[in-house]
Amino acid sequence: MRNVSHAGSLAAGRRRLPDQRLWVAALLVLALLAPAAVPVYAVPTADDQAAATALAAPASAFSGEEAFRHVSYLADRVGSRPAGSDKEAEAADYLAAELASFGLQTELQPFTIQTYEERAAVVRPLTPPGPPIETSAFIYSGSGSVAAGLADAGLGRPSDWAPGALEGRVALLERGELTFADKIANVTEAGAVAAIIFNQDERGFTGTLRNASNIPAVSLVRAEGLALREQLGRGPVRMEVTVDASVVTRQSRNVVGRLPGPRPGTIVIGSHFDSVSAGPGANDNGSGTATVVELARIFSQRQYPYTLVFVAFGSEEIGLRGSRHFVDALSDAEREQVKAMINLDMVGVGDEQRLTGATELVDVAREVAEAMGLPRFTATGGGAGASSDHESFQRVGIPVLFIHRTSDPNYHSPRDRSEYVDPAYLALAGQLAAGVLDRLGAEDR
Ligand code: BES
Ligand code: ZN
């Protein structure tokens, strides 16, 4: 793992692990002798204030039902929260009010984003007339509306058409061999006024153009593309192609709540609270955000040796922007203080809880899960096959722990609703994160 060599304090923590295993073993024995008296996760240093107050609000104080209230607020009441939208701002205000109500030092951390906004994309046969065909614009497609004859442009190589054949035409292209941007550049050069690219297989698709195009450029599923090509074989076809879209500058924000601790060192607990525009984002990522808020509540009720920073990140879905902004805004000194970052993303739906991240932290999590009697989880090496905010911290050498679940059937869809989020899964993620925090707080005495 890339960040192991940077994990100074955690590497030190690892050297103490054999010791801790002894403690855990001793505790398990104690727990067996007097099961009701000693929670197995309580580290027995009674003189230590943090451990003493940890007993007053243990990891099991985490309430899945409390957390679920936040999922419901975000997904059912606010709804879809796309990066830079008013809904994202509304959710931020709610989260800030919740964190402040627990006594955290709370602030909104604004930043600007540039995002490609598609307001409309239309493909419609004019001659012979037909209903509009489902489509979407390529990200960085040109904007405009044209009505013109259709011409087959093959794969988009200049040898695919006779000289002059695309002049003033809508080019019909098949995906493959060349990049979208190269195909579009070639047909633009040959005088085409719009480009329609259909897929190589049956799936729908969208894409991002490496260079912005000057003409409207849209995608179709393969069956629709082939039908148009066939139609062309039978005679002239006229099409309307319209794209109304542009790059817009918007304001986004992170919500940051701090619980200062007496010792130098900071642990960041984060989640993104924006969603895709396609759905209400209950699991992605109302679930992680709700868990972070509930963690903030239980840790606000006790002493912790280090500073805890709870962050809800904006604009994750357009490329981890909020977390990148948060990391970039840290001074060198502040960055060096960050001992660990725990990211929770999609923890409320799915088969299995998974962890990835710095080996030291995954090991701590495994011991905690065992000691607390939580279900086993799978620790996957390397990436999770998914991208999320911990990567912004990993990039600058901060040890990360990424907690998530696998296989949400409603991922990035309108069906990502709160009714599918299981409060018991939120509790599992929250108790595990709380247990890891307890352990990290107990390590460096
Ligand atoms: N929440 C997902 C990442 C994820 C997927 C976590 C599955 C856990 C399980 C995240 O919001 C997302 O969609 N990420 C994108 C990349 C992002 C930079 C747009 C992805 O993974 O493709
Ligand atoms: Zn997500």
Side-chain angles (χ1 to χ4, degrees):
M1 204 120 304
R2 183 159 72 86
N3 54 27
V4 165
S5 60
H6 303 274
S9 59
L10 285 156
R14 185 172 49 177
R15 280 197 295 280
R16 277 187 288 279
L17 277 179
D19 248 52
Q20 284 175 359
R21 288 211 187 91
L22 279 181
W23 275 120
V24 170
L27 283 165
L28 284 171
V29 171
L30 255 177
L32 283 173
L33 291 175
V38 185
V40 292
Y41 43 82
V43 179
T45 45
D47 55 321
D48 183 278
Q49 205 196 359
T53 50
L55 283 170
S60 59
F62 187 101
S63 159
E65 296 299 333
E66 268 302 293
F68 185 81
R69 277 198 317 110
H70 306 304
V71 174
S72 178
Y73 193 97
L74 293 169
D76 304 336
R77 180 123 172 211
V78 180
S80 184
R81 307 170 296 284
S85 67
D86 291 349
K87 289 293 186 178
E88 189 194 46
E90 184 184 338
D93 288 343
Y94 167 76
L95 295 168
E98 289 294 306
L99 294 181
S101 77
F102 310 141
L104 274 70
Q105 298 171 359
T106 305
E107 59 178 28
L108 296 179
Q109 183 185 43
F111 55 96
T112 54
I113 53 166
Q114 304 253 304
T115 175
Y116 185 79
E117 189 178 88
E118 178 188 311
R119 292 170 290 272
V122 180
V123 169
R124 187 160 39 143
L126 300 173
T127 329
I133 303 171
E134 198 175 316
T135 188
S136 69
F138 285 97
I139 293 175
Y140 304 129
S141 158
S143 207
S145 186
V146 302
L150 188 68
D152 191 345
L155 287 165
R157 300 162 298 201
S159 58
D160 286 330
W161 53 84
L166 295 189
E167 194 61 52
R169 302 294 189 95
V170 172
L172 179 65
L173 294 144
E174 184 169 358
R175 187 180 185 181
E177 205 150 314
L178 276 66
T179 65
F180 301 137
D182 285 346
K183 288 177 198 290
I184 294 165
N186 289 347
V187 301
T188 304
E189 176 76 25
V193 293
I196 299 175
I197 304 179
F198 62 90
N199 211 354
Q200 293 149 305
D201 59 34
E202 300 317 312
R203 284 171 296 190
F205 73 113
T206 57
T208 299
L209 304 181
R210 207 175 300 152
N211 306 306
S213 81
N214 293 325
I215 60 174
V218 298
S219 62
L220 290 190
V221 298
R222 181 167 188 82
E224 298 284 7
L226 290 179
L228 285 176
R229 198 183 254 175
E230 260 178 49
Q231 186 79 48
L232 260 184
R234 291 194 288 269
V237 177
R238 265 176 74 78
M239 303 289 295
E240 174 198 338
V241 179
T242 300
V243 170
D244 176 15
S246 57
V247 173
V248 293
T249 301
R250 294 268 183 265
Q251 172 105 213
S252 183
R253 71 285 296 151
N254 298 323
V255 184
V256 185
R258 293 170 64 86
L259 277 175
R263 288 171 174 242
T266 301
I267 299 174
V268 176
I269 305 98
S271 63
H272 76 87
F273 72 99
D274 65 313
S275 74
V276 292
S277 51
N283 189 39
D284 187 8
N285 186 27
S287 64
T289 304
T291 305
V292 168
V293 173
E294 175 61 0
L295 283 166
R297 185 183 70 82
I298 67 170
F299 278 88
S300 71
Q301 293 173 357
R302 55 164 116 179
Q303 304 293 318
Y304 191 78
Y306 305 114
T307 294
L308 293 175
V309 181
F310 297 88
V311 194
F313 299 111
S315 297
E316 187 267 0
E317 296 287 3
I318 59 164
L320 318 180
R321 303 293 177 83
S323 52
R324 201 174 65 197
H325 179 79
F326 180 89
V327 168
D328 288 349
L330 296 173
S331 66
D332 288 348
E334 285 169 331
R335 192 178 289 183
E336 272 156 29
Q337 289 291 307
V338 182
K339 297 161 69 71
M341 190 275 175
I342 302 177
N343 182 29
L344 294 122
D345 193 356
M346 303 184 72
V347 295
V349 176
D351 298 340
E352 200 190 350
Q353 184 157 277
R354 290 225 176 148
L355 273 82
T356 58
T359 318
E360 297 92 340
L361 290 174
V362 174
D363 286 349
V364 168
R366 188 177 292 111
E367 288 174 27
V368 164
E370 222 159 83
M372 289 175 71
L374 298 175
R376 284 176 183 280
F377 54 79
T378 307
T380 52
S387 202
S388 186
D389 294 306
H390 56 284
E391 292 176 5
S392 301
F393 292 77
Q394 209 164 25
R395 195 166 55 90
V396 297
I398 294 169
V400 300
L401 181 65
F402 176 33
I403 305 179
H404 63 287
R405 295 188 85 85
T406 55
S407 44
D408 178 354
N410 300 320
Y411 174 57
H412 284 185
S413 86
R415 294 176 310 280
D416 182 8
R417 294 196 302 263
S418 65
E419 66 202 79
Y420 302 117
V421 171
D422 189 338
Y425 290 168
L426 304 180
L428 283 179
Q431 286 168 11
L432 182 64
V436 168
L437 288 174
D438 279 345
R439 186 64 67 92
L440 296 178
E443 263 180 7
D444 290 333
R445 284 171 213 291

